Amino acid sequence: CSLQAGLAVLLKAERLFHSSYHSQAVHIRPICRVISHWFAQLPCDGCLSLVQDASCLAMSWELRQTLTVVFDFFSSGQGKKDWSLFKMFSRTLTDTCPLASQSKVYVDISPKNKEKELLEVSPPPTSVHEAIVQGDRRTYAVYDLLSPSLFNTSRSLNVQLKWKRPQDSSEMPIPTLHAQRYVGGYGLQTGEICTLIYNTHPYRAFPVILLETVPWYLRLYVHTLTIITKGKENKPS
């Protein structure tokens, strides 16, 4: 459907490239569709053994394209955390792509304080989904673009999130996993990139995959990589 229908309508280049962060990725991997079954063989009289043939009979290739974008409206919107699809992308969703077997929008509406639900989304979602993310229960408002009732009341879908009362910047929640990065030193001899990764969970450990975007003016030497955890050097897998 390109930019004519579906979620790709929101991919307006000037809005994406002026965001605080954007990352595009293409993942290609082979997937075995059909694996040969177990078969029996008789190595001797009265003996029976099962042997697995691990050969793949039919192979497919999976292509997955991802786009990650971060908009910072709190700092650019005079301390307001309200947002909408139109405010972020300058466009709204008008129709679903007929070729898509699944097309959904998820909005995290998990309350920071369970006793006080401070945020609301509009229009009402088609369903609500709950999941466990990094040990915490999260609640998501789901907008299914394939649902016939979604575009019946309106010709376009502009998901909006509003806060029922203003909040101070000190009340913004800190993610369980968050990171900071800075460049130190100068030149090829003392220049360095330092990345600090924090895990604020009281007891649980998480595996971390770190993808670094290296500035063009820095030349990295892999043998100088050091990873320190709690004051001790740690070797990654």
Side-chain angles (χ1 to χ4, degrees):
C1 292
S2 186
L3 300 179
Q4 306 301 320
L7 296 176
V9 172
L10 302 177
L11 304 184
K12 193 175 182 180
E14 56 266 30
R15 299 295 295 177
L16 299 180
F17 296 149
H18 282 83
S19 60
S20 300
Y21 172 84
H22 69 273
S23 174
Q24 303 175 63
V26 177
H27 305 268
I28 303 177
R29 65 170 182 169
I31 297 179
C32 183
R33 292 201 319 266
V34 181
I35 302 177
S36 56
H37 301 286
W38 295 77
F39 63 92
Q41 66 178 2
L42 299 175
C44 61
D45 294 340
C47 300
L48 177 63
S49 62
L50 295 178
V51 180
Q52 183 184 16
D53 187 357
S55 61
C56 182
L57 300 181
M59 182 75 69
S60 295
W61 290 92
E62 179 190 76
L63 170 64
R64 184 163 57 94
Q65 297 174 290
T66 62
L67 173 65
T68 303
V69 185
V70 176
F71 294 95
D72 187 6
F73 286 115
F74 187 80
S75 58
S76 61
Q78 300 178 349
K80 296 182 180 180
K81 295 192 291 182
D82 299 347
W83 59 263
S84 66
L85 291 182
F86 185 79
K87 186 177 181 180
M88 287 188 291
F89 302 102
S90 297
R91 295 180 179 180
T92 59
L93 296 173
T94 57
D95 198 1
T96 183
C97 180
L99 299 178
S101 59
Q102 186 177 139
S103 185
K104 296 181 180 180
V105 176
Y106 291 83
V107 180
D108 191 346
I109 57 173
S110 305
K112 179 182 178 182
N113 188 345
K114 296 183 179 180
E115 298 179 356
K116 299 179 180 180
E117 295 184 0
L118 301 177
L119 54 85
E120 59 181 0
V121 291
S122 62
T126 55
S127 63
V128 177
H129 175 71
E130 292 188 355
I132 302 297
V133 180
Q134 297 180 354
D136 296 331
R137 182 176 296 275
R138 313 297 296 181
T139 304
Y140 299 92
V142 183
Y143 296 87
D144 189 356
L145 271 64
L146 298 181
S147 176
S149 60
L150 189 61
F151 293 104
N152 287 346
T153 57
S154 176
R155 292 185 177 180
S156 64
L157 174 63
N158 182 27
V159 180
Q160 303 180 56
L161 186 143
K162 296 182 179 180
W163 294 84
K164 296 182 180 179
R165 64 176 178 85
Q167 288 185 308
D168 299 330
S169 59
S170 59
E171 297 185 13
M172 295 189 67
I174 299 178
T176 303
L177 292 176
H178 62 280
Q180 298 177 356
R181 187 178 73 159
Y182 61 89
V183 178
Y186 58 90
L188 294 178
Q189 183 176 0
T190 61
E192 62 181 9
I193 296 179
C194 295
T195 301
L196 307 179
I197 304 177
Y198 298 91
N199 177 16
T200 60
H201 199 278
Y203 59 88
R204 186 175 178 182
F206 300 96
V208 174
I209 299 178
L210 179 62
L211 174 64
E212 284 280 4
T213 303
V214 181
W216 63 270
Y217 52 84
L218 288 180
R219 179 179 298 177
L220 294 189
Y221 299 92
V222 181
H223 71 278
T224 64
L225 173 66
T226 57
I227 299 179
I228 300 176
T229 304
K230 296 182 179 180
K232 297 181 180 181
E233 187 173 355
N234 183 13
K235 295 183 178 181
S237 57

